[in-house]
């Protein structure tokens, strides 16, 4: 049955990052819902033409190209599991070619004047976050996962070894190259030292990204600055460094 193959597939993936497992579980559920809508419960009942229906099913849900690609990969693996167990002789699944809409999201970093304006008009934890985000280039999740053990004031370095997911779960950084040591610029050092005087917790920041986003949105609105995502602070760091 597809249920057996799905359980076997998820067992193979059990050692992946939690965030990756969540994606696989969500897509497995999506595949199951599609099969249920077609009254297909057993591997050998799936026909080649069902692949086309599945693709239409995904497109109707406006899934991204990457999710469609992963869904097709999962389906292929389910059939290969069946082949390995002698249930079928060949894989009936194929991925119809879908016209690619080349749509790149343009980067929209803050200008240095905007950075100064935001820092000058913010206070508390938002000012702390913006200062560190703008002048380290670290990702939001990486900053929210920082502990004081990651900060070396003697060497003036910050170690990136973990990340906090959007669901407030500690996980490994995005990629292998994301494990890195960041030079601590003077403006960052001063901000962290001021925080350390009153922060006795292990984690440097104790705030959700949703709360941070709301605070940033309010500040941008008050200063009549174009709306941005928290992630744009990372692009801003690269832009500012290049300009200097």
């Amino acid at each position: 049955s597809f249920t057996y193959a799905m359980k076997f597939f998820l067992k193979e993936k059990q050692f992946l990052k939690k965030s990756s497992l969540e994606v696989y579980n969500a897509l497995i559920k999506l595949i199951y819902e599609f099969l249920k809508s077609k009254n297909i419960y057993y591997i050998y009942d799936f026909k080649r033409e069902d692949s086309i229906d599945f693709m239409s099913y995904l497109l109707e849900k406006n899934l991204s190209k990457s999710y469609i690609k992963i869904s097709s990969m999962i389906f292929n693996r389910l059939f290969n599991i069946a082949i390995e167990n002698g249930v079928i002789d060949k894989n009936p699944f194929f991925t119809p070619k879908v016209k690619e809409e080349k749509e790149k999201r343009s980067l929209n970093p803050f200008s240095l004047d905007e950075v100064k304006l935001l820092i000058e008009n913010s206070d508390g934890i938002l000012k702390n976050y913006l200062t560190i985000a703008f002048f380290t280039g670290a990702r939001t999740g990486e900053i929210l996962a920082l502990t004081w053990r990651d900060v070396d004031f003697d060497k003036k370095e910050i170690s990136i070894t973990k990340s906090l997911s959007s669901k407030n779960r500690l996980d490994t950084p995005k990629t292998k190259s994301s494990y890195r040591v960041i030079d601590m610029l003077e403006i960052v050092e001063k901000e962290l030292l001021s925080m350390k005087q009153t922060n006795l917790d292990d984690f440097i920041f104790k705030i959700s990204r949703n709360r941070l986003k709301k605070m940033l949105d309010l500040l941008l609105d008050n200063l009549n600055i174009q709306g941005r995502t928290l992630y744009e602070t990372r692009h801003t760091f690269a832009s500012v460094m290049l300009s200097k």
Side-chain angles (χ1 to χ4, degrees):
S1 68
F2 272 105
T3 301
Y4 172 84
M6 289 172 179
K7 288 179 179 178
F8 193 92
F9 173 84
L10 291 174
K11 188 176 181 180
E12 290 181 329
K13 303 296 181 184
Q14 64 181 306
F15 303 107
L16 295 176
K17 289 173 58 174
K18 288 180 180 178
S19 55
S20 298
L21 279 175
E22 287 172 358
V23 171
Y24 281 126
N25 273 295
L27 293 180
I28 280 287
K29 184 179 178 181
L30 192 69
I31 290 172
Y32 181 79
E33 287 173 354
F34 165 75
L35 293 169
K36 187 178 179 181
S37 70
K38 299 270 293 182
N39 288 317
I40 300 173
Y41 297 98
Y42 293 94
I43 298 282
Y44 45 74
D45 287 333
F46 191 94
K47 308 301 179 187
R48 184 178 174 86
E49 55 266 28
D50 292 323
S51 303
I52 300 173
D53 292 339
F54 179 62
M55 188 58 62
S56 298
Y57 181 78
L58 296 180
L59 292 173
E60 285 173 6
K61 292 188 174 292
N62 293 317
L63 292 183
S64 67
K65 180 188 172 186
S66 60
Y67 276 141
I68 290 175
K69 186 176 180 180
I70 297 171
S71 299
S72 298
M73 179 276 291
I74 293 174
F75 237 135
N76 273 302
R77 181 60 191 137
L78 296 179
F79 288 115
N80 286 331
I81 290 170
I83 292 172
E84 291 164 10
N85 283 272
V87 178
I88 54 177
D89 296 323
K90 62 180 182 178
N91 186 343
F93 188 83
F94 84 107
T95 306
K97 287 187 177 181
V98 179
K99 182 181 178 182
E100 291 184 29
E101 297 291 337
K102 292 191 176 179
E103 192 176 305
K104 283 191 176 181
R105 186 176 70 86
S106 58
L107 302 182
N108 191 17
F110 293 92
S111 68
L112 188 54
D113 286 337
E114 287 176 327
V115 170
K116 291 177 181 177
L117 195 61
L118 286 168
I119 291 176
E120 288 170 358
N121 288 274
S122 59
D123 54 22
I125 198 164
L126 180 59
K127 180 177 182 290
N128 299 149
Y129 174 82
L130 289 176
T131 303
I132 293 168
F134 278 135
F135 294 102
T136 62
R139 299 178 177 90
T140 304
E142 294 169 345
I143 296 172
L144 295 180
L146 284 175
T147 65
W148 290 113
R149 291 190 300 274
D150 300 318
V151 179
D152 190 326
F153 288 106
D154 294 327
K155 292 183 178 179
K156 299 187 186 302
E157 293 177 343
I158 300 173
S159 298
I160 302 296
T161 60
K162 53 194 176 301
S163 183
L164 192 71
S165 73
S166 57
K167 296 185 178 180
N168 290 325
R169 293 178 182 171
L170 272 181
D171 211 334
T172 54
K174 187 176 181 181
T175 63
K176 286 183 179 180
S177 61
S178 295
Y179 286 92
R180 64 199 187 281
V181 176
I182 297 173
D183 290 329
M184 193 191 309
L185 300 181
E186 186 178 355
I187 188 172
V188 175
E189 180 185 14
K190 287 181 179 179
E191 198 68 29
L192 287 172
L193 284 171
S194 69
M195 293 176 69
K196 194 167 176 58
Q197 292 176 7
T198 56
N199 186 345
L200 302 177
D201 295 310
D202 189 23
F203 285 92
I204 295 175
F205 288 94
K206 294 194 74 174
I207 187 171
S208 70
R209 70 178 69 203
N210 286 337
R211 177 63 182 150
L212 266 177
K213 182 67 172 71
K214 288 178 181 178
M215 292 170 72
L216 177 60
D217 287 344
L218 181 61
L219 180 61
L220 292 173
D221 188 52
N222 289 339
L223 295 175
N224 199 26
I225 296 177
Q226 182 184 353
R228 312 286 216 293
T229 64
L230 287 171
Y231 200 80
E232 290 295 353
T233 58
R234 179 169 166 81
H235 298 143
T236 300
F237 173 76
S239 178
V240 170
M241 290 300 103
L242 286 171
S243 70
K244 297 298 177 182

